[in-house]
Amino acid sequence: MTWSRASSGRRRWRLPVALAAAAAALATATVSTVTSTPVSAAPAKDWLHVQGNQIVDEDGNPVWLTGANWFGFNASERVFHGLWSANITEVTKSMADRGINLVRIPISTQLLLEWRAGQTVAAPNVNTFANPELAGKNNLQIFDYFLQLSEQYGIKVMLDLHSAEADNSGHIHPVWYKGTVTPEQFYVGWEWVTERYKNNDTIIAMDIKNEPHGTPNQPPRAKWDNTTDQDNWKHACETASKRILAINPNVLVLCEGIEVYPREGETWNSPNTDPDLSPNYYYNWWGGNLRGVRDHPINLGANQDQLVYSPHDYGPLVFDQPWFQKPFDKASLTADVWRPNWFFIHEQGIAPLLIGEWGGRLGQDERQDRWMTALRDLIAEHKLHQTFWVLNPNSGDTGGLLRDDWKTWDEQKYALLKPALWQHNGKFVSLDHQVPLGGVGSTTGISLGSRYGGSDPTPTSPTPTLPTATPTTASPTPSQPAGTCAATFRATSTWPTGFQGEVTVTNPGTSAIRGWSVSMTLPQGVVVNNVWNGVRSENTVSNAPYNGTLAPSGSTTYGFVAEGGTGPVIISACTAR
């Protein structure tokens, strides 16, 4: 199944088939800016805080959170989608190499309460041939393993409570409570996960609830005022944030918007008449209406410096909003939609903004491409924080950064996103002071310490080691011989039109090898269309970043799926380096 959204920002679940004047008026608004001087010693911890409309590290250096979403833990599978074919290490490393410094992970209250009660999914929907490092792990252990990988590759994590229930369509429900999931359990779930990870600065932010929404004639609905009513989202986000910050005062908390807000002279008791004919409410995307901040801002008291507001915004392929049905550009969208709904928060220095979801398909509707480019330019121009929707290719109405093989990147979409990723001197910047984005030795990323303090410091704590088929030793020094390798093939399963194969690579020599590549000869008409634990170029597969080093007598495996026949595979060469 795939994600899909419907009218007025509403979402449904479906089966897959696979401005100048306004700017001038605000030119004199007070905008908080932060300047800093480089420091010689980077902070030991990576916790972030708020100054005006910026997010800063513990030395006051401005940072830019630029990332993407990866869903699945919120759904009935209770684990990342895609691990049925993709390798978790390869996906994580590829995100880091391409500049994703923050991953927003949707979860559910039900999942948190299950974990709190010691209930896990012992055998989640994970292909252990593709993910040998996950063999025997339950879904909580897989989540913790992802945190280890994120730490290793310099990525930070934001938890997003996407729905009350672990349900693939749970995001459709408009509020944070449902059935047996009460408002109090919503708070308890957040307290449990905060307590569990309060000393782990890989998780730096909590998005309190995804897309509160609803309208007065379709209860339950989320409203925004100064009451303590059960359906008052402002009160709920304030309460959850305070309870989280009482446990970990260093984590960022994000409050999204709602769907509608009463127009001037109206109240939450006003009838919800047709917004196109006699509007009593301002409409926007689910989670995208933050007009209430003007009248009723979130108040976290002594922890106000941890608050970030987080709108969502989409294009006409998700829903053809009224502003897309007339000529528009970046200036008109800013004046008509973004500024009145949320951009004023940044312009007036009230708080930082993190656009938690934006994205969509390209090349299908010129208006969609124009909207996405305009929002990208607004993000890049003002250094607005953002997490792109989405990594997953199985998002029905947006598609993903990855294509359907969960391996190949959509280069057109990535090219659009890339200017909105934090870069300095041609390198992507991590939110980790010690670890460059991409990990130690990265050629595409630098650490936060390097960005503000010079060269990349060496991590003082050991990075997690990734399992191979047998234990490995350190890579040989350049003076050591490269060694040799051998490879054998076996078919692990077959069907009339194809097969799944596994190749075991062994080091029969007396010194360690630092990498390997295997050349295969395939029967005529047979095509390899998916490889895990290796990097494919035509019919040659080389080691992945984590399984190239093999000790004497050590071995590792890679797997693949082939279509077009079931004939034998011949290993023509195994080359070590």
Side-chain angles (χ1 to χ4, degrees):
M1 292 193 176
T2 57
W3 296 95
S4 182
R5 304 161 199 257
S7 60
S8 190
R10 297 169 176 81
R11 298 183 180 185
R12 65 185 186 277
W13 190 257
R14 70 183 180 198
L15 294 171
V17 298
L19 155 256
L26 281 164
T28 59
T30 300
V31 179
S32 174
T33 60
V34 177
T35 59
S36 63
T37 57
V39 293
S40 57
K45 290 292 186 177
D46 300 320
W47 301 117
L48 303 176
H49 309 282
V50 167
Q51 288 185 12
N53 62 7
Q54 293 188 335
I55 300 176
V56 301
D57 71 1
E58 292 189 348
D59 276 340
N61 298 306
V63 300
W64 192 14
L65 284 61
T66 60
N69 290 261
W70 187 2
F71 65 75
F73 271 99
N74 58 299
S76 59
E77 295 85 353
R78 294 167 169 81
V79 74
F80 283 130
H81 281 188
L83 297 184
W84 48 69
S85 63
N87 175 265
I88 190 171
T89 306
E90 290 183 1
V91 173
T92 306
K93 180 68 161 63
S94 69
M95 285 193 289
D97 288 341
R98 287 177 175 259
I100 304 299
N101 67 17
L102 177 70
V103 178
R104 179 176 181 257
I105 303 179
I107 55 176
S108 70
T109 298
Q110 183 179 352
L111 177 73
L112 295 181
L113 295 175
E114 289 171 350
W115 284 351
R116 179 175 179 265
Q119 301 170 5
T120 59
V121 179
N125 188 11
V126 172
N127 182 341
T128 54
F129 284 102
N131 292 276
E133 60 267 59
L134 301 183
K137 287 182 169 58
N138 62 43
N139 62 335
L140 178 55
Q141 292 169 331
I142 290 173
F143 179 79
D144 286 341
Y145 189 84
F146 174 75
L147 292 183
Q148 287 184 334
L149 290 175
S150 296
E151 181 180 5
Q152 179 179 352
Y153 296 130
I155 291 175
K156 296 301 181 183
V157 168
M158 174 168 62
L159 297 182
D160 150 48
L161 210 158
H162 216 68
S163 57
E165 299 177 339
D167 181 350
N168 293 22
S169 56
H171 57 288
I172 294 176
H173 189 68
V175 291
W176 46 100
Y177 50 91
K178 182 183 182 184
T180 60
V181 179
T182 65
E184 177 59 23
Q185 288 176 313
F186 167 71
Y187 302 137
V188 167
W190 269 125
E191 288 177 322
W192 176 83
V193 75
T194 304
E195 178 67 31
R196 178 179 171 88
Y197 298 105
K198 66 182 180 181
N199 296 317
N200 188 341
D201 63 352
T202 301
I203 301 180
I204 60 169
M206 312 293 204
D207 189 345
I208 304 301
K209 173 63 178 76
N210 179 73
E211 297 184 350
H213 61 275
T215 58
N217 65 338
Q218 293 181 324
R221 60 93 168 87
K223 68 176 182 177
W224 188 300
D225 61 20
N226 267 343
T227 68
T228 59
D229 295 341
Q230 179 172 273
D231 62 354
N232 178 14
W233 168 237
K234 185 253 187 184
H235 172 70
C237 194
E238 233 171 39
T239 303
S241 297
K242 289 178 179 178
R243 290 172 71 158
I244 288 170
L245 293 168
I247 298 169
N248 182 1
N250 293 311
V251 73
L252 296 174
V253 290
L254 280 70
C255 288
E256 298 188 24
I258 51 178
E259 180 181 0
V260 301
Y261 193 73
R263 290 180 179 266
E264 294 76 6
E266 305 293 340
T267 71
W268 285 104
N269 294 320
S270 297
N272 183 41
T273 54
D274 188 331
D276 295 324
L277 300 177
S278 179
N280 290 329
Y281 295 86
Y282 293 106
Y283 278 70
N284 199 23
W285 298 103
W286 290 1
N289 194 326
L290 281 161
R291 293 172 183 262
V293 173
R294 290 189 182 88
D295 305 320
H296 311 289
I298 297 288
N299 182 1
L300 301 182
N303 295 123
Q304 193 72 13
D305 63 348
Q306 298 304 120
L307 173 66
V308 178
Y309 289 106
S310 183
H312 292 184
D313 200 81
Y314 281 99
L317 287 181
V318 171
F319 178 68
D320 200 0
Q321 298 277 17
W323 46 89
F324 297 131
Q325 298 171 20
K326 58 184 179 180
F328 70 87
D329 57 15
K330 175 173 173 272
S332 67
L333 288 171
T334 301
D336 298 342
V337 185
W338 299 333
R339 176 173 292 126
N341 281 294
W342 45 263
F343 189 49
F344 73 92
I345 296 172
H346 174 84
E347 289 185 307
Q348 297 177 19
I350 297 171
L353 291 172
L354 189 153
I355 303 175
E357 292 185 17
W358 66 289
R361 300 186 185 277
L362 291 173
Q364 297 184 7
D365 184 329
E366 180 277 331
R367 299 176 305 154
Q368 170 81 11
D369 298 0
R370 185 170 8 127
W371 160 80
M372 202 183 307
T373 302
L375 184 53
R376 187 276 314 277
D377 289 348
L378 185 81
I379 290 169
E381 178 183 352
H382 296 278
K383 294 290 191 292
L384 304 180
H385 310 280
Q386 58 87 15
T387 48
F388 190 83
W389 188 271
V390 62
L391 183 73
N392 305 52
N394 61 324
S395 177
D397 53 1
T398 67
L401 288 168
L402 294 180
R403 295 197 178 275
D404 290 341
D405 63 1
W406 285 90
K407 187 179 184 72
T408 307
W409 282 66
D410 184 328
E411 298 296 350
Q412 181 188 15
K413 188 177 291 189
Y414 175 70
L416 185 144
L417 172 64
K418 188 175 180 180
L421 300 175
W422 193 12
Q423 300 168 65
H424 179 70
N425 292 336
K427 298 290 184 69
F428 297 114
V429 185
S430 170
L431 298 173
D432 191 301
H433 288 87
Q434 282 73 42
V435 183
L437 198 56
V440 176
S442 172
T443 61
T444 61
I446 61 174
S447 70
L448 187 55
S450 176
R451 167 63 181 86
Y452 285 113
S455 60
D456 286 319
T458 301
T460 56
S461 58
T463 56
T465 56
L466 302 177
T468 55
T470 61
T472 65
T473 61
S475 299
T477 61
S479 61
Q480 290 178 301
T484 59
C485 69
T488 58
F489 165 82
R490 72 182 182 97
T492 57
S493 62
T494 61
W495 52 93
T497 61
F499 61 94
Q500 178 172 307
E502 180 182 85
V503 174
T504 300
V505 182
T506 304
N507 175 12
T510 59
S511 60
I513 62 175
R514 292 168 291 177
W516 49 263
S517 61
V518 175
S519 297
M520 303 182 295
T521 300
L522 303 174
Q524 185 174 1
V526 173
V527 177
V528 173
N529 55 22
N530 192 19
V531 172
W532 52 93
N533 294 342
V535 179
R536 171 178 169 253
S537 175
E538 300 297 334
N539 289 338
T540 296
V541 177
S542 301
N543 60 276
Y546 53 86
N547 65 351
T549 299
L550 296 179
S553 301
S555 65
T556 188
T557 62
Y558 70 85
F560 63 91
V561 173
E563 293 286 350
T566 58
V569 173
I570 298 173
I571 303 298
S572 54
C574 184
T575 305
R577 58 184 184 276

